[in-house]
Amino acid sequence: MGKIILKNIIHRKWSFIVTILINIVALSMIAMSVYIYENTTYCEKIIDKSMRYDIDNIGIITVGNLETEEGYMYDDMGEISQSMVNELKENDKIISVGAIGIEEGFDNSDIAKIQHELIDNEDNKNNNDDDELLHYYGMDSGIMDMFNIELTEGSIDKTIDTSDELTNYVYLGEGYKKKYKVGDVIDIQYKNDIHYRMIVNGFFSSKGIIAEPNVISTTAGFTSDKCCFKLKDSDVIIVHNMAYNGAVCFMVWNDNYSYDEIQNEVNKLAKRYDKTAHVVKLSKIIKEKVKEGNEISGYIMDVLWIILVTAVIMVTCIQITNILNNTSQYGIMYANGFSAGSIMTMLAVETFLNTIIAAVMSIVVVKKLIKFIFTAVTDENEVIDYIFKEYVIGVDILAAFIISIVSIVIPMIIIYRMKPVQLIGGEDT
Amino acid sequence: MITLRNVVKSYNIDNKNFNALDGIDLDIDETEMLAVMGPSGSGKSTLLNILGGMDSVTSGEYIFDGTEVNNLKASGLHKFRRDNVSFVFQQFALMDKYTIFENVELPLIPKHISKLKRKKIVMKQLERMGIADQANKYPTQLSGGQQQRCAIARALASDNRLILADEPTGALDSHNGQEMMNILKEINKEGKTVVVITHDERIASQCNRIVYIRDGKITSE
């Protein structure tokens, strides 16, 4: 029977190829749609994974402005003083609090110079071009444990004294292990009369993720490649006094306390400083951002059904045409002892083979396309692979089955209802 | 072996009932070689299709070796055809995209015969028909006579007891036509029951018995 199926495919190779192409186009569009949709929803998972604590107990503190219609303060982070932060650190209801920032600069910027000094051009020359944007992660000691950063050496120390602005504690990526060890003090001279001391406090593995601190204000597409930063072996985390103007202040609270209780605590504290304060739950921010992204990808998902139906109709029409053009072949087979069931089985196998080949090809094509598009912006192959493995492949194969099954129904009914004598052209009146 | 009693086959054409077969009574013995003659539209091919299980009766009885074929459903008819009947058609009914070997092999596939055994059976029949050297060719590469030999080889390959031949010499010249009849007579002597539809007296006269059919009825034997 397999030989007959193969013969049929070869005999009708052009219709087989056209059907595969239709299926590839349809399934590629479906795969791309699913990827875009999941890429946005995946942010929630990534950020959740990047945190050591439940994101329902993590919030961002904003100070001093009226709420927008949506209830968030998107643009103006306001100021929050170190005193307020220190008081929050003393509060039993609060586990961690502090600011995080990602500093960037071009090669001849202050930050880049410091980082170049720290990382040594020779060690890092494979990772950065001269013109490439360099960045480091700056954070308060009090908030470092919020992230799921795995240290391979050293420890997270929330009591680090960062009162001396010229003394900073650094955690380095594993790429620096060749040059430094825990406890090393690195002196960096800057602008002739300023000396920074960087004390190596530990090394981290590249498995960690740092959520985008500006998540509350970011309006660009909230996709998995934009919602977080993946730590690299060449990255640097500097623990120092953060300037809160422009830096995002995060807070983690004890889950024995409700959000309302925490909000009240922060408000009471802010009032003593003649300010008002608002704690925005991270989970809520992310859901809103994901929702924004999903509105667009939601339209894409609606189109998915149209793609599927169109593919089914086209494949069905091709199958029916094939049957009507080959009735004499079916008649000969009937006359030689084949049953309607065996003929329908052959047709079904041909159809499934076609759609499965198309599904595999569409997954390969779309994955390459997405890696090309997205890696032009950032290197997130791991995320792409994950989303494909978890969602896209399954949905694509399911769609292939749906197309096969639905498009085979009418052709099978036609074969079943045709009498053998009609197929052989034997009616004799 | 075969008994037809009051067999009627009706078709509905333009909302009118038309009887292609109108009360056929016919007995065919095993190893008989029967010719069915009649003008075009008399119901010869309909009779052949009924005998071969390609079509079902509207009413009446068709008994094949004790089996009431008229009561078989579609799945039963297909088994009946597979196990008992082989066809030889006027226009050969070969699959153009299959080789001669594959065409002859076709009826063996639904019988679930192993590949090795199928090969032996096919080659034996092709050798018998004198076209073993054409096994890898396609039907369009063969002459009419060779194609009909291929069709007969296919009919013999399945080793079914009843061979139904619908105008087997119709597409052949007289020389090849006679060769076909010689082969069919030889097959008949080996114990197969052969029913030949023809409008050619010369062909019919070579059979044991001739049945005449007109307007769906047997008029004489």
Side-chain angles (χ1 to χ4, degrees):
Chain A
M1 200 83 94
K3 202 172 159 185
I4 296 178
I5 293 169
L6 200 58
K7 275 273 177 185
N8 288 343
I9 290 171
I10 294 168
H11 174 42
R12 294 194 288 265
K13 60 181 176 291
W14 290 117
S15 80
F16 193 79
I17 288 168
V18 167
T19 313
I20 280 191
L21 288 174
I22 291 168
N23 282 326
I24 286 175
V25 169
L27 292 170
S28 295
M29 290 168 82
I30 288 168
M32 185 66 89
S33 305
V34 172
Y35 178 80
I36 291 169
Y37 184 84
E38 289 299 337
N39 196 7
T40 309
T41 354
Y42 189 62
C43 300
E44 203 172 337
K45 296 182 186 73
I46 288 183
I47 292 177
D48 193 38
K49 196 178 155 187
S50 75
M51 300 297 186
R52 203 184 295 276
Y53 301 96
D54 189 335
I55 58 172
D56 268 337
N57 296 330
I58 299 174
I60 292 172
I61 306 172
T62 60
V63 176
N65 291 301
L66 295 172
E67 293 180 2
T68 64
E69 282 179 15
E70 291 85 8
Y72 294 113
M73 301 173 209
Y74 281 119
D75 297 315
D76 187 347
M77 301 308 294
E79 285 188 7
I80 181 167
S81 68
Q82 185 65 54
S83 312
M84 282 177 68
V85 169
N86 289 343
E87 280 203 54
L88 285 170
K89 282 182 183 178
E90 298 301 319
N91 191 319
D92 287 342
K93 296 186 178 76
I94 309 296
I95 296 173
S96 305
V97 61
I100 303 157
I102 295 178
E103 301 293 334
E104 295 172 336
F106 288 98
D107 188 68
N108 58 356
S109 68
D110 297 350
I111 286 88
K113 279 181 184 164
I114 293 169
Q115 194 167 7
H116 272 304
E117 289 277 358
L118 185 65
I119 65 177
D120 188 327
N121 264 342
E122 203 169 313
D123 284 343
N124 204 35
K125 68 180 176 190
N126 289 330
N127 293 325
N128 292 307
D129 295 331
D130 280 345
D131 290 329
E132 191 174 311
L133 210 64
L134 292 177
H135 64 253
Y136 70 88
Y137 301 96
M139 55 181 82
D140 270 332
S141 58
I143 201 63
M144 200 177 165
D145 73 330
M146 182 178 77
F147 293 107
N148 243 336
I149 298 169
E150 192 185 297
L151 293 185
T152 55
E153 270 183 61
S155 58
I156 292 172
D157 185 355
K158 285 172 73 171
T159 62
I160 288 174
D161 179 8
T162 55
S163 55
D164 179 359
E165 285 190 8
L166 296 179
T167 299
N168 297 300
Y169 293 84
V170 294
Y171 291 84
L172 304 175
E174 296 232 299
Y176 299 102
K177 270 188 173 175
K178 289 179 282 187
K179 196 170 165 70
Y180 302 109
K181 57 183 187 303
V182 174
D184 280 355
V185 178
I186 306 160
D187 281 313
I188 295 172
Q189 187 172 343
Y190 176 63
K191 284 185 179 173
N192 291 330
D193 56 348
I194 299 173
H195 290 262
Y196 284 102
R197 291 176 73 225
M198 302 288 190
I199 302 170
V200 179
N201 226 36
F203 293 90
F204 53 81
S205 80
S206 58
K207 290 181 190 169
I209 299 169
I210 304 261
E212 164 61 73
N214 291 315
V215 64
I216 198 170
S217 60
T218 185
T219 53
F222 199 66
T223 54
S224 58
D225 56 320
K226 290 185 174 65
C227 69
C228 63
F229 295 90
K230 197 172 167 236
L231 288 172
K232 299 192 285 289
D233 283 345
S234 59
D235 278 331
V236 174
I237 297 174
I238 300 181
V239 178
H240 64 138
N241 264 347
M242 293 295 292
Y244 287 93
N245 190 9
V248 179
C249 186
F250 281 84
M251 186 170 72
V252 183
W253 60 85
N254 194 313
D255 60 8
N256 289 332
Y257 300 98
S258 69
Y259 165 72
D260 287 333
E261 282 175 291
I262 299 300
Q263 173 66 70
N264 284 339
E265 286 288 320
V266 169
N267 266 334
K268 268 195 298 189
L269 173 63
K271 269 184 188 153
R272 291 210 300 275
Y273 290 84
D274 289 327
K275 293 183 191 293
T276 57
H278 195 78
V279 180
V280 184
K281 269 170 104 174
L282 184 62
S283 55
K284 198 170 178 188
I285 297 169
I286 295 166
K287 277 187 170 33
E288 292 239 333
K289 291 294 176 187
V290 166
K291 193 177 153 193
E292 275 173 29
N294 275 351
E295 271 175 22
I296 299 165
S297 49
Y299 293 126
I300 296 171
M301 294 300 273
D302 288 338
V303 169
L304 222 104
W305 292 107
I306 298 171
I307 299 167
L308 206 59
V309 168
T310 308
V312 164
I313 290 170
M314 289 174 85
V315 171
T316 303
C317 289
I318 292 174
Q319 294 286 41
I320 291 171
T321 309
N322 279 339
I323 289 166
L324 296 177
N325 284 342
N326 289 283
T327 51
S328 60
Q329 178 189 331
Y330 297 128
I332 293 167
M333 292 175 84
Y334 272 125
N336 282 280
F338 283 77
S339 63
S342 55
I343 293 171
M344 288 194 285
T345 302
M346 286 192 288
L347 188 64
V349 169
E350 266 181 59
T351 308
F352 273 99
L353 203 61
N354 190 300
T355 44
I356 290 299
I357 291 171
V360 169
M361 288 176 75
S362 70
I363 288 166
V364 169
V365 161
V366 169
K367 200 172 182 190
K368 285 209 182 303
L369 196 63
I370 283 171
K371 283 195 174 181
F372 174 72
I373 294 169
F374 280 85
T375 52
V377 176
T378 177
D379 181 13
E380 287 297 341
N381 277 336
E382 195 179 306
V383 170
I384 294 170
D385 287 342
Y386 178 84
I387 293 177
F388 259 80
K389 191 175 146 197
E390 290 291 313
Y391 303 104
V392 175
I393 291 173
V395 171
D396 220 41
I397 292 187
L398 179 66
F401 270 107
I402 291 172
I403 292 173
S404 303
I405 290 167
V406 178
S407 66
I408 206 77
V409 168
I410 295 176
M412 281 203 177
I413 291 171
I414 292 174
I415 289 176
Y416 184 75
R417 293 187 65 156
M418 273 181 163
K419 291 183 184 175
V421 68
Q422 289 171 314
L423 297 173
I424 202 82
E427 271 192 56
D428 184 0
T429 60
Chain B
M1 180 187 178
I2 294 173
T3 302
L4 299 176
R5 284 287 170 265
N6 198 25
V7 165
V8 173
K9 177 65 190 177
S10 300
Y11 296 104
N12 194 307
I13 298 168
D14 294 333
N15 285 324
K16 286 181 190 164
N17 262 352
F18 168 76
N19 287 348
L21 296 178
D22 195 5
I24 298 282
D25 289 311
L26 181 65
D27 292 295
I28 305 172
D29 294 327
E30 191 147 16
T31 73
E32 193 172 357
M33 187 161 178
L34 176 75
V36 178
M37 284 196 70
S40 291
S42 59
K44 307 188 297 294
S45 295
T46 305
L47 177 62
L48 200 81
N49 288 327
I50 297 287
L51 286 172
M54 289 285 279
D55 203 354
S56 52
V57 304
T58 306
S59 66
E61 275 185 336
Y62 172 19
I63 299 168
F64 184 101
D65 250 14
T67 303
E68 289 185 14
V69 180
N70 48 283
N71 286 335
L72 293 177
K73 300 255 185 299
S75 58
L77 274 178
H78 123 255
K79 284 177 188 163
F80 168 74
R81 281 196 303 277
R82 182 191 68 191
D83 298 335
N84 297 292
V85 185
S86 296
F87 287 87
V88 178
F89 294 100
Q90 178 178 356
Q91 296 298 337
F92 322 131
L94 299 174
M95 310 250 254
D96 285 348
K97 301 297 176 190
Y98 286 48
T99 63
I100 297 303
F101 182 97
E102 287 162 348
N103 269 287
V104 175
E105 192 190 22
L106 196 66
L108 301 175
I109 293 170
K111 287 181 183 249
H112 306 296
I113 293 172
S114 71
K115 193 174 174 182
L116 200 62
K117 205 169 168 191
R118 288 202 309 259
K119 190 175 177 184
K120 277 187 188 165
I121 294 169
V122 169
M123 290 315 294
K124 181 182 163 189
Q125 298 306 332
L126 287 177
E127 276 160 15
R128 181 178 174 173
M129 291 296 121
I131 51 170
D133 55 339
Q134 312 293 328
N136 291 326
K137 288 193 178 168
Y138 291 89
T140 48
Q141 294 174 295
L142 270 55
S143 68
Q146 286 174 318
Q147 288 187 57
Q148 195 60 296
R149 283 171 186 272
C150 174
I152 292 177
R154 183 177 64 189
L156 292 174
S158 54
D159 198 26
N160 290 334
R161 291 156 63 194
L162 177 63
I163 309 248
L164 301 173
D166 189 351
E167 303 275 7
T169 63
L172 304 172
D173 57 52
S174 55
H175 173 70
N176 279 315
Q178 187 53 49
E179 273 199 34
M180 285 309 114
M181 280 310 295
N182 292 342
I183 293 170
L184 288 174
K185 284 190 290 188
E186 201 182 303
I187 291 165
N188 175 244
K189 280 191 186 130
E190 288 170 6
K192 304 283 185 205
T193 305
V194 180
V195 177
V196 179
I197 303 291
T198 184
H199 62 270
D200 190 335
E201 278 283 354
R202 285 174 305 163
I203 300 297
S205 64
Q206 296 181 55
C207 299
N208 305 140
R209 184 158 69 111
I210 303 172
V211 163
Y212 293 89
I213 184 169
R214 179 184 279 274
D215 296 329
K217 292 184 196 313
I218 291 178
T219 54
S220 60
E221 294 197 29

